[in-house]
Amino acid sequence: MSDLITFDAAAKVFHLHNQEISYLFAIEDGGVLSHLYFGQAVAAYHGERRYPRKDRGFAGNLPGTERERGFSLDTLPQEISSRGEADFRTPAFVIRQANGAQASRFVYARHQIVPGKPALPGLPAAYVESPDEAATLIVTVVDQPSQLSADLYYTIYRDRAVIARSVRFHNPADQPAVTLEQAASAQLDFPAGQYQVLSLPGAHANERHLQKETVGYGIKTFASGRGTTSHQMNNFIALTAADTDEFHGAAYGIDLVYSGNHALSVEKDQIDQVRVVAGINPVGFSWELASGAEFQTPEALLVYSANGLNAMSQTYHSLIRERVVRGRYRDQERPILVNNWEATYFDFNEDKLRPIVDTAKKLGIEMFVLDDGWFGHRDDDTTSLGDWVVDRRKFPLGLKHFADYVHRQGLQFGLWVEPEMISKDSDLYRAHPDYLLAIPGREPSPSRSQYVLDLSRQEVRANIAGQLSDLLDQGYIDYIKWDMNRHISDVYSHTLPAARQGEVLHRYTLGLYALLEELTTKYPAVLWEGCSGGGGRIDTGFAYYMPQSWTSDNTDAVSRLGIQYGTSLVYPPNTFTAHVSVSPNEQTGRHASLAMRGNVAMSAVFGYELDLAKLTKTEQKQVAAQVAEYKAIRPLIQFGQLLRLESGNDYAWMFVSADQTEALLYTFHLLNNGQPAFHIVKMAGLDPAKQYMDTASQQVFGGDELMHIGLYQPLQQQDFSTQQYHFKAINPG
């Protein structure tokens, strides 16, 4: 462990380090933890970042140090901060003491270094498979008057440029209850400088578009208050140097492993320092920490890259793919599926679905997924949520009868569910109207004609688990698509007293995690896919339970370029799914070639969302060719290294195998003009000493040529064109 984490007792400095990164902080005057450095690995530290002393106006000092005006919590870079003790910047912790005061000051008490990485009770987190993969520093800090303590967890991996951080609060058994009003997972203070912040805002059917802003004075918060990760703002940001791009410059990623309300705030202070605080959104949050109780925050994954955004993304990709995703599908290739939603919507029965299955078999597709409308008496989106029983009007012989037909055709069978929701027109609501999140005396607000079940309650989770187990125990379901088609309002649980209603949304998230842990553990053979109106809950926390998620309800290939580009900033391509749909597209009305739709969708976990039986013979041949092509390149797409090359009117991205013997390049040109420029695309990530053959043209290029000279793209007499290049090394040794 000492090769990963050291403590210099004389200098009072902690150093977390591997071959890629160093993270340094010190015990300062008064026991305050002072942040020193996070960046490229250094062999040793000799005190050069000890914070200078300067008396600054209106900057308070530590109690009992009236003559030492140069040391102030209001300017000192810190590991954690709290409200009420003269640090006027954004705090990590806000604690209401038993006497009502919002004041605390946490100081160093002790520390320990342990091998590996402890699990977080009730929460998803990155993990290790062997204790020697990582080491964890646990620093205990104490607020002396209240004796409330916090364990600060820092894990560094041996071979990854990652620091995992979280906090566990302990209230001693002999102390009165306190209330956590803000409990962040990580604080990161940066020295004075010019920074940009990258975020992933969006909307339903328009998720995770890369936004880049200069960090100015004041506070900017990237948050969701919708009860979930949300389409509107993902729970990831990156702080970068002003000149950072895909391949050059410093980038610091902050990813919160959480699926509920989140907030990542960025504040530039009066002397150009920048503070980032990441954790549960404090708006509407409070948590009573009773005597003897503990509270664990979600985990934040901090990544440093000295070589631009691609290197940052690759660190996240390998970590999420290998040490967040779990279960048998973590390392397995994911099947090519066809989903019936855009083919039939609610209007289907077994006879109408069979031709899609038959055509899927002929085209080589591997799974059929039955979407919304198979249960209760659901002919539209106003009924039956909560009643997970088969609609015998549509399946008079039962759903298993149809699934058996799908299996006889050589396909796997998948099913859509939305277990967190309830319709008023349902047997569950008629039996248990109290299961809703609803405020007494107020009519709850519908969204998509549905309401939210109170997953903070064990009996509600037991009902859902029981109904889904009745389905899954029959053994004919190979895949579950878990959807959530509204955000959470009317936040009130009937099982909590009035003073603790601020706990509801976090308890909901913990309840969801408990339910997912139970079901995914009980049914490990099922491939679970997350969804929330498309990409409303794509986050690292959900990836812990479900190895893939539906990226967006927008299946238009041109729209998906930006959506998938932004998604790839954090999430590996084998955790998000993409389907070919009809042209003109049903969301945008845009026409795009089958080649364009196919190349975009093949850049992730691949599938189709249309009526295969209505395709022309020519289109069916194209689809069969796409399916065969994807099967050949699937290992490269799902487990290779993704490199983003260009975005804008021209997109380009590529996939490279770990041994650099195979590479796949996709290029996309959007809008033409009357005098087009000749466009050159340069590849990356290849071995410059290797010779690569283009499998289509049989032409051979040096890796150095492809990366430095590049390829002219052919001119097209159409908008929305695409090219695919597949290279294999002819001297792989």
Side-chain angles (χ1 to χ4, degrees), residues 361 473 476 690:
K361 174 186 178 181
D473 283 344
Y476 65 84
K690 282 184 168 60

Side-chain angles (χ1 to χ4, degrees), residues 188-211:
L188 198 56
D189 282 0
F190 292 87
Q194 298 300 312
Y195 299 96
Q196 290 194 319
V197 59
L198 276 57
S199 57
L200 295 173
H204 174 241
N206 194 32
E207 298 92 336
R208 288 175 303 284
H209 286 270
L210 180 60
Q211 174 177 258

Side-chain angles (χ1 to χ4, degrees), residues 57-78:
F58 294 86
N61 311 118
L62 293 179
T65 61
E66 285 81 358
R67 294 184 178 277
E68 178 49 78
R69 296 185 178 184
F71 184 78
S72 173
L73 296 182
D74 193 37
T75 56
L76 180 73
Q78 297 177 66

Side-chain angles (χ1 to χ4, degrees), residues 201-336:
H204 174 241
N206 194 32
E207 298 92 336
R208 288 175 303 284
H209 286 270
L210 180 60
Q211 174 177 258
K212 186 180 296 187
E213 305 169 77
T214 298
V215 176
Y217 296 106
I219 303 169
K220 177 73 182 277
T221 300
F222 304 88
S224 171
R226 295 168 174 264
T228 74
T229 316
S230 85
H231 311 76
Q232 286 71 21
M233 188 61 69
N234 191 254
N235 48 2
F236 162 85
I237 62 171
L239 209 68
T240 75
D243 59 349
T244 296
D245 60 22
E246 290 286 8
F247 293 98
H248 308 94
Y252 301 85
I254 302 98
D255 178 39
L256 189 67
V257 186
Y258 190 59
S259 306
N261 277 359
H262 57 84
L264 295 92
S265 67
V266 180
E267 179 179 5
K268 186 173 183 177
D269 72 11
Q270 59 188 335
I271 54 173
D272 293 345
Q273 299 174 142
V274 172
R275 171 173 290 178
V276 176
V277 174
I280 297 169
N281 193 337
V283 177
F285 168 82
S286 64
W287 192 275
E288 182 185 282
L289 198 61
S291 300
E294 295 185 342
F295 180 85
Q296 173 67 56
T297 72
E299 183 167 85
L301 298 173
L302 313 181
V303 166
Y304 172 74
S305 164
N307 299 303
L309 300 178
N310 269 312
M312 179 196 72
S313 297
Q314 288 154 15
T315 300
Y316 276 120
H317 290 183
S318 65
L319 180 71
I320 293 170
R321 189 173 59 230
E322 299 165 7
R323 293 296 182 268
V324 173
V325 173
R326 301 176 299 163
R328 69 173 60 186
Y329 290 98
R330 186 191 76 176
D331 302 320
Q332 285 188 14
E333 296 176 18
R334 313 293 165 70
I336 303 168

Side-chain angles (χ1 to χ4, degrees), residues 75 94 131 144 338 396 412 444 500 563 579 584 662 698 715:
T75 56
V94 177
Q144 299 290 356
V338 59
Q412 295 176 290
R500 295 177 59 193
I563 294 169
H579 296 170
E662 188 177 7
Q698 303 295 298
L715 293 179

Side-chain angles (χ1 to χ4, degrees), residues 6-7 12-16 23-25 27 108 111 137 139:
T6 58
F7 177 62
K12 298 182 180 180
V13 171
F14 296 96
H15 187 184
L16 293 82
Y23 190 105
L24 289 146
F25 63 98
I27 305 169
Y108 173 83
H111 74 271
L137 169 66
V139 179

